PDB file of all heavy atoms in Angstrom:
ATOM      1  N   ASP A 659     -52.010 -28.507 -65.651  1.00 94.00           N
ATOM      2  CA  ASP A 659     -51.725 -27.777 -64.418  1.00 94.00           C
ATOM      3  C   ASP A 659     -51.622 -26.300 -64.764  1.00 94.00           C
ATOM      4  O   ASP A 659     -51.184 -25.934 -65.848  1.00 94.00           O
ATOM      5  CB  ASP A 659     -50.418 -28.270 -63.783  1.00 94.00           C
ATOM      6  CG  ASP A 659     -50.250 -27.801 -62.342  1.00 94.00           C
ATOM      7  OD1 ASP A 659     -51.241 -27.323 -61.739  1.00 94.00           O
ATOM      8  OD2 ASP A 659     -49.129 -27.895 -61.812  1.00 94.00           O
ATOM      9  N   ALA A 660     -52.052 -25.466 -63.851  1.00 95.00           N
ATOM     10  CA  ALA A 660     -51.956 -24.020 -64.026  1.00 95.00           C
ATOM     11  C   ALA A 660     -51.472 -23.414 -62.721  1.00 95.00           C
ATOM     12  O   ALA A 660     -51.777 -23.923 -61.638  1.00 95.00           O
ATOM     13  CB  ALA A 660     -53.306 -23.436 -64.410  1.00 95.00           C
ATOM     14  N   LEU A 661     -50.725 -22.349 -62.840  1.00 96.00           N
ATOM     15  CA  LEU A 661     -50.143 -21.704 -61.665  1.00 96.00           C
ATOM     16  C   LEU A 661     -50.215 -20.196 -61.852  1.00 96.00           C
ATOM     17  O   LEU A 661     -49.864 -19.678 -62.916  1.00 96.00           O
ATOM     18  CB  LEU A 661     -48.691 -22.153 -61.501  1.00 96.00           C
ATOM     19  CG  LEU A 661     -48.003 -21.969 -60.175  1.00 96.00           C
ATOM     20  CD1 LEU A 661     -48.768 -22.616 -59.041  1.00 96.00           C
ATOM     21  CD2 LEU A 661     -46.604 -22.554 -60.232  1.00 96.00           C
ATOM     22  N   ILE A 662     -50.686 -19.509 -60.827  1.00 96.00           N
ATOM     23  CA  ILE A 662     -50.700 -18.047 -60.813  1.00 96.00           C
ATOM     24  C   ILE A 662     -49.787 -17.618 -59.680  1.00 96.00           C
ATOM     25  O   ILE A 662     -50.032 -17.950 -58.520  1.00 96.00           O
ATOM     26  CB  ILE A 662     -52.117 -17.485 -60.594  1.00 96.00           C
ATOM     27  CG1 ILE A 662     -53.049 -17.962 -61.695  1.00 96.00           C
ATOM     28  CG2 ILE A 662     -52.083 -15.958 -60.526  1.00 96.00           C
ATOM     29  CD1 ILE A 662     -54.510 -17.646 -61.439  1.00 96.00           C
ATOM     30  N   LYS A 663     -48.716 -16.903 -60.018  1.00 96.00           N
ATOM     31  CA  LYS A 663     -47.733 -16.506 -59.020  1.00 96.00           C
ATOM     32  C   LYS A 663     -47.497 -15.000 -59.121  1.00 96.00           C
ATOM     33  O   LYS A 663     -47.231 -14.486 -60.202  1.00 96.00           O
ATOM     34  CB  LYS A 663     -46.433 -17.275 -59.238  1.00 96.00           C
ATOM     35  CG  LYS A 663     -45.455 -17.161 -58.104  1.00 96.00           C
ATOM     36  CD  LYS A 663     -44.317 -18.141 -58.284  1.00 96.00           C
ATOM     37  CE  LYS A 663     -43.313 -18.021 -57.160  1.00 96.00           C
ATOM     38  NZ  LYS A 663     -42.194 -18.941 -57.323  1.00 96.00           N
ATOM     39  N   PRO A 664     -47.584 -14.283 -57.984  1.00 96.00           N
ATOM     40  CA  PRO A 664     -47.370 -12.838 -58.031  1.00 96.00           C
ATOM     41  C   PRO A 664     -45.889 -12.472 -57.934  1.00 96.00           C
ATOM     42  O   PRO A 664     -45.090 -13.196 -57.343  1.00 96.00           O
ATOM     43  CB  PRO A 664     -48.127 -12.338 -56.795  1.00 96.00           C
ATOM     44  CG  PRO A 664     -48.043 -13.472 -55.830  1.00 96.00           C
ATOM     45  CD  PRO A 664     -48.050 -14.725 -56.676  1.00 96.00           C
ATOM     46  N   ILE A 665     -45.550 -11.337 -58.527  1.00 96.00           N
ATOM     47  CA  ILE A 665     -44.222 -10.763 -58.396  1.00 96.00           C
ATOM     48  C   ILE A 665     -44.407  -9.272 -58.150  1.00 96.00           C
ATOM     49  O   ILE A 665     -45.298  -8.639 -58.728  1.00 96.00           O
ATOM     50  CB  ILE A 665     -43.337 -11.028 -59.628  1.00 96.00           C
ATOM     51  CG1 ILE A 665     -41.917 -10.521 -59.371  1.00 96.00           C
ATOM     52  CG2 ILE A 665     -43.916 -10.424 -60.880  1.00 96.00           C
ATOM     53  CD1 ILE A 665     -40.899 -10.991 -60.376  1.00 96.00           C
ATOM     54  N   LYS A 666     -43.578  -8.727 -57.274  1.00 96.00           N
ATOM     55  CA  LYS A 666     -43.650  -7.301 -56.961  1.00 96.00           C
ATOM     56  C   LYS A 666     -42.798  -6.536 -57.971  1.00 96.00           C
ATOM     57  O   LYS A 666     -41.609  -6.785 -58.095  1.00 96.00           O
ATOM     58  CB  LYS A 666     -43.149  -7.042 -55.540  1.00 96.00           C
ATOM     59  CG  LYS A 666     -43.264  -5.599 -55.119  1.00 96.00           C
ATOM     60  CD  LYS A 666     -42.782  -5.402 -53.701  1.00 96.00           C
ATOM     61  CE  LYS A 666     -42.854  -3.945 -53.320  1.00 96.00           C
ATOM     62  NZ  LYS A 666     -42.261  -3.701 -52.006  1.00 96.00           N
ATOM     63  N   VAL A 667     -43.439  -5.604 -58.668  1.00 94.00           N
ATOM     64  CA  VAL A 667     -42.743  -4.775 -59.651  1.00 94.00           C
ATOM     65  C   VAL A 667     -42.531  -3.396 -59.033  1.00 94.00           C
ATOM     66  O   VAL A 667     -43.490  -2.732 -58.635  1.00 94.00           O
ATOM     67  CB  VAL A 667     -43.537  -4.663 -60.972  1.00 94.00           C
ATOM     68  CG1 VAL A 667     -42.803  -3.782 -61.962  1.00 94.00           C
ATOM     69  CG2 VAL A 667     -43.789  -6.042 -61.559  1.00 94.00           C
ATOM     70  N   GLU A 668     -41.270  -3.007 -58.927  1.00 91.00           N
ATOM     71  CA  GLU A 668     -40.920  -1.727 -58.329  1.00 91.00           C
ATOM     72  C   GLU A 668     -40.588  -0.715 -59.421  1.00 91.00           C
ATOM     73  O   GLU A 668     -40.272  -1.082 -60.549  1.00 91.00           O
ATOM     74  CB  GLU A 668     -39.704  -1.894 -57.407  1.00 91.00           C
ATOM     75  CG  GLU A 668     -39.967  -2.837 -56.254  1.00 91.00           C
ATOM     76  CD  GLU A 668     -38.721  -3.112 -55.425  1.00 91.00           C
ATOM     77  OE1 GLU A 668     -37.598  -2.912 -55.931  1.00 91.00           O
ATOM     78  OE2 GLU A 668     -38.881  -3.527 -54.268  1.00 91.00           O
ATOM     79  N   ALA A 669     -40.624   0.557 -59.053  1.00 88.00           N
ATOM     80  CA  ALA A 669     -40.270   1.619 -59.997  1.00 88.00           C
ATOM     81  C   ALA A 669     -38.773   1.576 -60.265  1.00 88.00           C
ATOM     82  O   ALA A 669     -37.976   1.255 -59.383  1.00 88.00           O
ATOM     83  CB  ALA A 669     -40.662   2.973 -59.426  1.00 88.00           C
ATOM     84  N   GLU A 670     -38.416   1.922 -61.477  1.00 86.00           N
ATOM     85  CA  GLU A 670     -37.004   2.002 -61.826  1.00 86.00           C
ATOM     86  C   GLU A 670     -36.404   3.223 -61.123  1.00 86.00           C
ATOM     87  O   GLU A 670     -37.127   4.092 -60.662  1.00 86.00           O
ATOM     88  CB  GLU A 670     -36.828   2.094 -63.343  1.00 86.00           C
ATOM     89  CG  GLU A 670     -37.510   3.264 -63.992  1.00 86.00           C
ATOM     90  CD  GLU A 670     -38.977   3.047 -64.324  1.00 86.00           C
ATOM     91  OE1 GLU A 670     -39.659   2.203 -63.737  1.00 86.00           O
ATOM     92  OE2 GLU A 670     -39.467   3.792 -65.181  1.00 86.00           O
ATOM     93  N   GLY A 671     -35.108   3.263 -61.032  1.00 79.00           N
ATOM     94  CA  GLY A 671     -34.443   4.396 -60.378  1.00 79.00           C
ATOM     95  C   GLY A 671     -34.090   4.066 -58.933  1.00 79.00           C
ATOM     96  O   GLY A 671     -34.135   2.921 -58.500  1.00 79.00           O
ATOM     97  N   PHE A 672     -33.744   5.119 -58.184  1.00 78.00           N
ATOM     98  CA  PHE A 672     -33.316   4.956 -56.798  1.00 78.00           C
ATOM     99  C   PHE A 672     -34.304   5.652 -55.870  1.00 78.00           C
ATOM    100  O   PHE A 672     -34.762   6.762 -56.150  1.00 78.00           O
ATOM    101  CB  PHE A 672     -31.913   5.539 -56.592  1.00 78.00           C
ATOM    102  CG  PHE A 672     -30.874   4.843 -57.412  1.00 78.00           C
ATOM    103  CD1 PHE A 672     -30.438   5.385 -58.608  1.00 78.00           C
ATOM    104  CD2 PHE A 672     -30.343   3.634 -57.002  1.00 78.00           C
ATOM    105  CE1 PHE A 672     -29.489   4.745 -59.377  1.00 78.00           C
ATOM    106  CE2 PHE A 672     -29.401   2.979 -57.764  1.00 78.00           C
ATOM    107  CZ  PHE A 672     -28.971   3.537 -58.944  1.00 78.00           C
ATOM    108  N   LEU A 673     -34.590   5.032 -54.746  1.00 76.00           N
ATOM    109  CA  LEU A 673     -35.519   5.569 -53.767  1.00 76.00           C
ATOM    110  C   LEU A 673     -34.910   6.780 -53.072  1.00 76.00           C
ATOM    111  O   LEU A 673     -33.750   6.735 -52.631  1.00 76.00           O
ATOM    112  CB  LEU A 673     -35.864   4.490 -52.733  1.00 76.00           C
ATOM    113  CG  LEU A 673     -36.801   4.899 -51.609  1.00 76.00           C
ATOM    114  CD1 LEU A 673     -38.183   5.233 -52.174  1.00 76.00           C
ATOM    115  CD2 LEU A 673     -36.906   3.782 -50.584  1.00 76.00           C
ATOM    116  N   ARG A 674     -35.671   7.864 -52.995  1.00 77.00           N
ATOM    117  CA  ARG A 674     -35.264   9.054 -52.249  1.00 77.00           C
ATOM    118  C   ARG A 674     -36.428   9.467 -51.373  1.00 77.00           C
ATOM    119  O   ARG A 674     -37.564   9.515 -51.837  1.00 77.00           O
ATOM    120  CB  ARG A 674     -34.890  10.186 -53.199  1.00 77.00           C
ATOM    121  CG  ARG A 674     -33.603   9.860 -53.947  1.00 77.00           C
ATOM    122  CD  ARG A 674     -33.121  10.998 -54.754  1.00 77.00           C
ATOM    123  NE  ARG A 674     -32.996  12.201 -53.927  1.00 77.00           N
ATOM    124  CZ  ARG A 674     -32.596  13.357 -54.389  1.00 77.00           C
ATOM    125  NH1 ARG A 674     -32.270  13.471 -55.645  1.00 77.00           N
ATOM    126  NH2 ARG A 674     -32.521  14.408 -53.608  1.00 77.00           N
ATOM    127  N   GLU A 675     -36.137   9.790 -50.122  1.00 79.00           N
ATOM    128  CA  GLU A 675     -37.179  10.188 -49.186  1.00 79.00           C
ATOM    129  C   GLU A 675     -36.841  11.524 -48.560  1.00 79.00           C
ATOM    130  O   GLU A 675     -35.674  11.850 -48.362  1.00 79.00           O
ATOM    131  CB  GLU A 675     -37.307   9.161 -48.053  1.00 79.00           C
ATOM    132  CG  GLU A 675     -37.910   7.852 -48.454  1.00 79.00           C
ATOM    133  CD  GLU A 675     -38.141   6.928 -47.255  1.00 79.00           C
ATOM    134  OE1 GLU A 675     -37.850   7.340 -46.112  1.00 79.00           O
ATOM    135  OE2 GLU A 675     -38.606   5.823 -47.475  1.00 79.00           O
ATOM    136  N   LYS A 676     -37.889  12.275 -48.216  1.00 79.00           N
ATOM    137  CA  LYS A 676     -37.747  13.487 -47.421  1.00 79.00           C
ATOM    138  C   LYS A 676     -38.664  13.314 -46.221  1.00 79.00           C
ATOM    139  O   LYS A 676     -39.819  12.899 -46.380  1.00 79.00           O
ATOM    140  CB  LYS A 676     -38.140  14.726 -48.209  1.00 79.00           C
ATOM    141  CG  LYS A 676     -37.140  15.082 -49.285  1.00 79.00           C
ATOM    142  CD  LYS A 676     -37.467  16.421 -49.886  1.00 79.00           C
ATOM    143  CE  LYS A 676     -36.400  16.791 -50.908  1.00 79.00           C
ATOM    144  NZ  LYS A 676     -36.614  18.109 -51.463  1.00 79.00           N
ATOM    145  N   THR A 677     -38.150  13.638 -45.051  1.00 81.00           N
ATOM    146  CA  THR A 677     -38.912  13.452 -43.823  1.00 81.00           C
ATOM    147  C   THR A 677     -38.937  14.753 -43.030  1.00 81.00           C
ATOM    148  O   THR A 677     -37.908  15.412 -42.881  1.00 81.00           O
ATOM    149  CB  THR A 677     -38.273  12.345 -42.956  1.00 81.00           C
ATOM    150  OG1 THR A 677     -38.160  11.160 -43.738  1.00 81.00           O
ATOM    151  CG2 THR A 677     -39.097  12.062 -41.731  1.00 81.00           C
ATOM    152  N   TRP A 678     -40.109  15.118 -42.560  1.00 77.00           N
ATOM    153  CA  TRP A 678     -40.255  16.262 -41.672  1.00 77.00           C
ATOM    154  C   TRP A 678     -40.893  15.777 -40.388  1.00 77.00           C
ATOM    155  O   TRP A 678     -41.805  14.945 -40.402  1.00 77.00           O
ATOM    156  CB  TRP A 678     -41.172  17.326 -42.286  1.00 77.00           C
ATOM    157  CG  TRP A 678     -40.627  17.967 -43.506  1.00 77.00           C
ATOM    158  CD1 TRP A 678     -39.762  19.010 -43.570  1.00 77.00           C
ATOM    159  CD2 TRP A 678     -40.913  17.618 -44.850  1.00 77.00           C
ATOM    160  NE1 TRP A 678     -39.488  19.345 -44.863  1.00 77.00           N
ATOM    161  CE2 TRP A 678     -40.186  18.498 -45.683  1.00 77.00           C
ATOM    162  CE3 TRP A 678     -41.706  16.644 -45.458  1.00 77.00           C
ATOM    163  CZ2 TRP A 678     -40.235  18.438 -47.065  1.00 77.00           C
ATOM    164  CZ3 TRP A 678     -41.750  16.598 -46.831  1.00 77.00           C
ATOM    165  CH2 TRP A 678     -41.029  17.480 -47.618  1.00 77.00           C
ATOM    166  N   THR A 679     -40.419  16.267 -39.259  1.00 78.00           N
ATOM    167  CA  THR A 679     -41.006  15.896 -37.972  1.00 78.00           C
ATOM    168  C   THR A 679     -41.341  17.156 -37.194  1.00 78.00           C
ATOM    169  O   THR A 679     -40.708  18.206 -37.366  1.00 78.00           O
ATOM    170  CB  THR A 679     -40.044  15.028 -37.132  1.00 78.00           C
ATOM    171  OG1 THR A 679     -38.848  15.763 -36.902  1.00 78.00           O
ATOM    172  CG2 THR A 679     -39.747  13.719 -37.814  1.00 78.00           C
ATOM    173  N   LYS A 680     -42.303  17.050 -36.332  1.00 76.00           N
ATOM    174  CA  LYS A 680     -42.721  18.178 -35.502  1.00 76.00           C
ATOM    175  C   LYS A 680     -43.289  17.612 -34.214  1.00 76.00           C
ATOM    176  O   LYS A 680     -44.189  16.784 -34.228  1.00 76.00           O
ATOM    177  CB  LYS A 680     -43.770  19.004 -36.247  1.00 76.00           C
ATOM    178  CG  LYS A 680     -44.441  20.069 -35.462  1.00 76.00           C
ATOM    179  CD  LYS A 680     -43.552  21.274 -35.289  1.00 76.00           C
ATOM    180  CE  LYS A 680     -44.347  22.378 -34.596  1.00 76.00           C
ATOM    181  NZ  LYS A 680     -43.536  23.472 -34.188  1.00 76.00           N
ATOM    182  N   TYR A 681     -42.733  18.066 -33.104  1.00 76.00           N
ATOM    183  CA  TYR A 681     -43.274  17.720 -31.787  1.00 76.00           C
ATOM    184  C   TYR A 681     -44.264  18.816 -31.422  1.00 76.00           C
ATOM    185  O   TYR A 681     -43.924  20.009 -31.433  1.00 76.00           O
ATOM    186  CB  TYR A 681     -42.154  17.626 -30.748  1.00 76.00           C
ATOM    187  CG  TYR A 681     -42.672  17.482 -29.338  1.00 76.00           C
ATOM    188  CD1 TYR A 681     -43.208  16.285 -28.898  1.00 76.00           C
ATOM    189  CD2 TYR A 681     -42.652  18.564 -28.462  1.00 76.00           C
ATOM    190  CE1 TYR A 681     -43.694  16.155 -27.624  1.00 76.00           C
ATOM    191  CE2 TYR A 681     -43.140  18.438 -27.192  1.00 76.00           C
ATOM    192  CZ  TYR A 681     -43.659  17.236 -26.774  1.00 76.00           C
ATOM    193  OH  TYR A 681     -44.157  17.108 -25.504  1.00 76.00           O
ATOM    194  N   ILE A 682     -45.495  18.424 -31.136  1.00 77.00           N
ATOM    195  CA  ILE A 682     -46.537  19.393 -30.803  1.00 77.00           C
ATOM    196  C   ILE A 682     -47.069  19.075 -29.418  1.00 77.00           C
ATOM    197  O   ILE A 682     -47.514  17.960 -29.153  1.00 77.00           O
ATOM    198  CB  ILE A 682     -47.696  19.343 -31.825  1.00 77.00           C
ATOM    199  CG1 ILE A 682     -47.175  19.646 -33.222  1.00 77.00           C
ATOM    200  CG2 ILE A 682     -48.808  20.299 -31.432  1.00 77.00           C
ATOM    201  CD1 ILE A 682     -48.204  19.453 -34.313  1.00 77.00           C
ATOM    202  N   CYS A 683     -47.010  20.073 -28.553  1.00 78.00           N
ATOM    203  CA  CYS A 683     -47.613  19.955 -27.220  1.00 78.00           C
ATOM    204  C   CYS A 683     -48.881  20.792 -27.238  1.00 78.00           C
ATOM    205  O   CYS A 683     -48.838  22.003 -27.508  1.00 78.00           O
ATOM    206  CB  CYS A 683     -46.644  20.449 -26.153  1.00 78.00           C
ATOM    207  SG  CYS A 683     -47.325  20.349 -24.487  1.00 78.00           S
ATOM    208  N   THR A 684     -50.007  20.174 -26.972  1.00 76.00           N
ATOM    209  CA  THR A 684     -51.281  20.892 -27.049  1.00 76.00           C
ATOM    210  C   THR A 684     -51.332  22.059 -26.073  1.00 76.00           C
ATOM    211  O   THR A 684     -51.929  23.089 -26.371  1.00 76.00           O
ATOM    212  CB  THR A 684     -52.459  19.939 -26.787  1.00 76.00           C
ATOM    213  OG1 THR A 684     -52.274  19.286 -25.528  1.00 76.00           O
ATOM    214  CG2 THR A 684     -52.590  18.918 -27.885  1.00 76.00           C
ATOM    215  N   GLU A 685     -50.690  21.928 -24.942  1.00 80.00           N
ATOM    216  CA  GLU A 685     -50.674  23.029 -23.970  1.00 80.00           C
ATOM    217  C   GLU A 685     -49.928  24.234 -24.532  1.00 80.00           C
ATOM    218  O   GLU A 685     -50.362  25.376 -24.342  1.00 80.00           O
ATOM    219  CB  GLU A 685     -50.041  22.570 -22.653  1.00 80.00           C
ATOM    220  CG  GLU A 685     -50.854  21.529 -21.895  1.00 80.00           C
ATOM    221  CD  GLU A 685     -52.242  22.033 -21.503  1.00 80.00           C
ATOM    222  OE1 GLU A 685     -52.374  23.199 -21.096  1.00 80.00           O
ATOM    223  OE2 GLU A 685     -53.191  21.243 -21.638  1.00 80.00           O
ATOM    224  N   ASP A 686     -48.807  23.991 -25.223  1.00 79.00           N
ATOM    225  CA  ASP A 686     -48.046  25.097 -25.822  1.00 79.00           C
ATOM    226  C   ASP A 686     -48.821  25.768 -26.947  1.00 79.00           C
ATOM    227  O   ASP A 686     -48.704  26.980 -27.153  1.00 79.00           O
ATOM    228  CB  ASP A 686     -46.692  24.596 -26.349  1.00 79.00           C
ATOM    229  CG  ASP A 686     -45.729  24.218 -25.237  1.00 79.00           C
ATOM    230  OD1 ASP A 686     -45.992  24.598 -24.079  1.00 79.00           O
ATOM    231  OD2 ASP A 686     -44.711  23.539 -25.528  1.00 79.00           O
ATOM    232  N   VAL A 687     -49.618  25.015 -27.684  1.00 76.00           N
ATOM    233  CA  VAL A 687     -50.434  25.591 -28.747  1.00 76.00           C
ATOM    234  C   VAL A 687     -51.532  26.467 -28.146  1.00 76.00           C
ATOM    235  O   VAL A 687     -51.818  27.560 -28.623  1.00 76.00           O
ATOM    236  CB  VAL A 687     -51.027  24.490 -29.660  1.00 76.00           C
ATOM    237  CG1 VAL A 687     -52.025  25.066 -30.648  1.00 76.00           C
ATOM    238  CG2 VAL A 687     -49.910  23.755 -30.392  1.00 76.00           C
ATOM    239  N   LYS A 688     -52.136  25.983 -27.032  1.00 82.00           N
ATOM    240  CA  LYS A 688     -53.202  26.743 -26.362  1.00 82.00           C
ATOM    241  C   LYS A 688     -52.678  28.068 -25.819  1.00 82.00           C
ATOM    242  O   LYS A 688     -53.340  29.101 -25.918  1.00 82.00           O
ATOM    243  CB  LYS A 688     -53.797  25.925 -25.214  1.00 82.00           C
ATOM    244  CG  LYS A 688     -54.734  24.834 -25.648  1.00 82.00           C
ATOM    245  CD  LYS A 688     -55.278  24.115 -24.429  1.00 82.00           C
ATOM    246  CE  LYS A 688     -56.066  22.899 -24.804  1.00 82.00           C
ATOM    247  NZ  LYS A 688     -56.513  22.153 -23.619  1.00 82.00           N
ATOM    248  N   THR A 689     -51.480  28.056 -25.240  1.00 85.00           N
ATOM    249  CA  THR A 689     -50.921  29.277 -24.631  1.00 85.00           C
ATOM    250  C   THR A 689     -50.261  30.192 -25.658  1.00 85.00           C
ATOM    251  O   THR A 689     -49.909  31.316 -25.335  1.00 85.00           O
ATOM    252  CB  THR A 689     -49.888  28.912 -23.555  1.00 85.00           C
ATOM    253  OG1 THR A 689     -48.823  28.188 -24.147  1.00 85.00           O
ATOM    254  CG2 THR A 689     -50.524  28.109 -22.428  1.00 85.00           C
ATOM    255  N   GLY A 690     -50.045  29.705 -26.872  1.00 79.00           N
ATOM    256  CA  GLY A 690     -49.415  30.525 -27.898  1.00 79.00           C
ATOM    257  C   GLY A 690     -47.910  30.395 -27.943  1.00 79.00           C
ATOM    258  O   GLY A 690     -47.249  31.073 -28.733  1.00 79.00           O
ATOM    259  N   ASP A 691     -47.300  29.546 -27.097  1.00 79.00           N
ATOM    260  CA  ASP A 691     -45.860  29.348 -27.113  1.00 79.00           C
ATOM    261  C   ASP A 691     -45.405  28.544 -28.335  1.00 79.00           C
ATOM    262  O   ASP A 691     -44.230  28.577 -28.695  1.00 79.00           O
ATOM    263  CB  ASP A 691     -45.395  28.616 -25.840  1.00 79.00           C
ATOM    264  CG  ASP A 691     -45.568  29.478 -24.595  1.00 79.00           C
ATOM    265  OD1 ASP A 691     -45.572  30.721 -24.740  1.00 79.00           O
ATOM    266  OD2 ASP A 691     -45.704  28.899 -23.498  1.00 79.00           O
ATOM    267  N   ASP A 692     -46.324  27.818 -28.959  1.00 78.00           N
ATOM    268  CA  ASP A 692     -46.020  27.022 -30.153  1.00 78.00           C
ATOM    269  C   ASP A 692     -47.210  27.147 -31.099  1.00 78.00           C
ATOM    270  O   ASP A 692     -48.317  27.509 -30.687  1.00 78.00           O
ATOM    271  CB  ASP A 692     -45.791  25.550 -29.780  1.00 78.00           C
ATOM    272  CG  ASP A 692     -45.111  24.762 -30.893  1.00 78.00           C
ATOM    273  OD1 ASP A 692     -44.813  25.346 -31.947  1.00 78.00           O
ATOM    274  OD2 ASP A 692     -44.878  23.552 -30.710  1.00 78.00           O
ATOM    275  N   SER A 693     -46.995  26.880 -32.360  1.00 75.00           N
ATOM    276  CA  SER A 693     -48.083  26.947 -33.332  1.00 75.00           C
ATOM    277  C   SER A 693     -47.993  25.728 -34.253  1.00 75.00           C
ATOM    278  O   SER A 693     -46.950  25.090 -34.358  1.00 75.00           O
ATOM    279  CB  SER A 693     -48.003  28.233 -34.153  1.00 75.00           C
ATOM    280  OG  SER A 693     -46.812  28.238 -34.905  1.00 75.00           O
ATOM    281  N   LEU A 694     -49.107  25.462 -34.879  1.00 71.00           N
ATOM    282  CA  LEU A 694     -49.119  24.365 -35.846  1.00 71.00           C
ATOM    283  C   LEU A 694     -48.331  24.796 -37.072  1.00 71.00           C
ATOM    284  O   LEU A 694     -48.230  25.979 -37.387  1.00 71.00           O
ATOM    285  CB  LEU A 694     -50.556  24.015 -36.227  1.00 71.00           C
ATOM    286  CG  LEU A 694     -51.434  23.512 -35.069  1.00 71.00           C
ATOM    287  CD1 LEU A 694     -52.837  23.223 -35.574  1.00 71.00           C
ATOM    288  CD2 LEU A 694     -50.841  22.272 -34.438  1.00 71.00           C
ATOM    289  N   GLU A 695     -47.784  23.837 -37.779  1.00 74.00           N
ATOM    290  CA  GLU A 695     -46.919  24.124 -38.913  1.00 74.00           C
ATOM    291  C   GLU A 695     -47.506  23.497 -40.169  1.00 74.00           C
ATOM    292  O   GLU A 695     -48.103  22.426 -40.112  1.00 74.00           O
ATOM    293  CB  GLU A 695     -45.533  23.540 -38.630  1.00 74.00           C
ATOM    294  CG  GLU A 695     -44.465  24.048 -39.525  1.00 74.00           C
ATOM    295  CD  GLU A 695     -43.074  23.627 -39.041  1.00 74.00           C
ATOM    296  OE1 GLU A 695     -42.833  23.596 -37.831  1.00 74.00           O
ATOM    297  OE2 GLU A 695     -42.260  23.307 -39.908  1.00 74.00           O
ATOM    298  N   GLN A 696     -47.325  24.143 -41.298  1.00 78.00           N
ATOM    299  CA  GLN A 696     -47.792  23.601 -42.571  1.00 78.00           C
ATOM    300  C   GLN A 696     -46.586  23.288 -43.441  1.00 78.00           C
ATOM    301  O   GLN A 696     -45.628  24.053 -43.480  1.00 78.00           O
ATOM    302  CB  GLN A 696     -48.673  24.621 -43.289  1.00 78.00           C
ATOM    303  CG  GLN A 696     -49.991  24.849 -42.615  1.00 78.00           C
ATOM    304  CD  GLN A 696     -50.856  25.801 -43.436  1.00 78.00           C
ATOM    305  OE1 GLN A 696     -50.499  26.221 -44.522  1.00 78.00           O
ATOM    306  NE2 GLN A 696     -52.023  26.128 -42.899  1.00 78.00           N
ATOM    307  N   TRP A 697     -46.675  22.148 -44.127  1.00 76.00           N
ATOM    308  CA  TRP A 697     -45.634  21.762 -45.074  1.00 76.00           C
ATOM    309  C   TRP A 697     -46.277  21.612 -46.434  1.00 76.00           C
ATOM    310  O   TRP A 697     -47.354  21.046 -46.560  1.00 76.00           O
ATOM    311  CB  TRP A 697     -44.976  20.440 -44.671  1.00 76.00           C
ATOM    312  CG  TRP A 697     -44.167  20.503 -43.432  1.00 76.00           C
ATOM    313  CD1 TRP A 697     -43.131  21.335 -43.179  1.00 76.00           C
ATOM    314  CD2 TRP A 697     -44.324  19.699 -42.261  1.00 76.00           C
ATOM    315  NE1 TRP A 697     -42.626  21.105 -41.922  1.00 76.00           N
ATOM    316  CE2 TRP A 697     -43.338  20.093 -41.338  1.00 76.00           C
ATOM    317  CE3 TRP A 697     -45.192  18.683 -41.895  1.00 76.00           C
ATOM    318  CZ2 TRP A 697     -43.193  19.519 -40.088  1.00 76.00           C
ATOM    319  CZ3 TRP A 697     -45.051  18.106 -40.655  1.00 76.00           C
ATOM    320  CH2 TRP A 697     -44.062  18.523 -39.762  1.00 76.00           C
ATOM    321  N   GLU A 698     -45.601  22.088 -47.442  1.00 80.00           N
ATOM    322  CA  GLU A 698     -46.086  21.925 -48.804  1.00 80.00           C
ATOM    323  C   GLU A 698     -45.275  20.824 -49.464  1.00 80.00           C
ATOM    324  O   GLU A 698     -44.048  20.894 -49.517  1.00 80.00           O
ATOM    325  CB  GLU A 698     -45.932  23.228 -49.582  1.00 80.00           C
ATOM    326  CG  GLU A 698     -46.573  23.161 -50.943  1.00 80.00           C
ATOM    327  CD  GLU A 698     -46.540  24.496 -51.653  1.00 80.00           C
ATOM    328  OE1 GLU A 698     -46.628  25.533 -50.989  1.00 80.00           O
ATOM    329  OE2 GLU A 698     -46.405  24.477 -52.881  1.00 80.00           O
TER     330      GLU A 698
END
């Protein structure tokens, strides 16, 4: 008998997340009241 079973290997350490959100209204971008934003 043979068996192949998967296991999920995770990275060591603790999970840390950074989240950025932006609400964009296309009408505000067209009129210049809002602009697109860049994140590095």
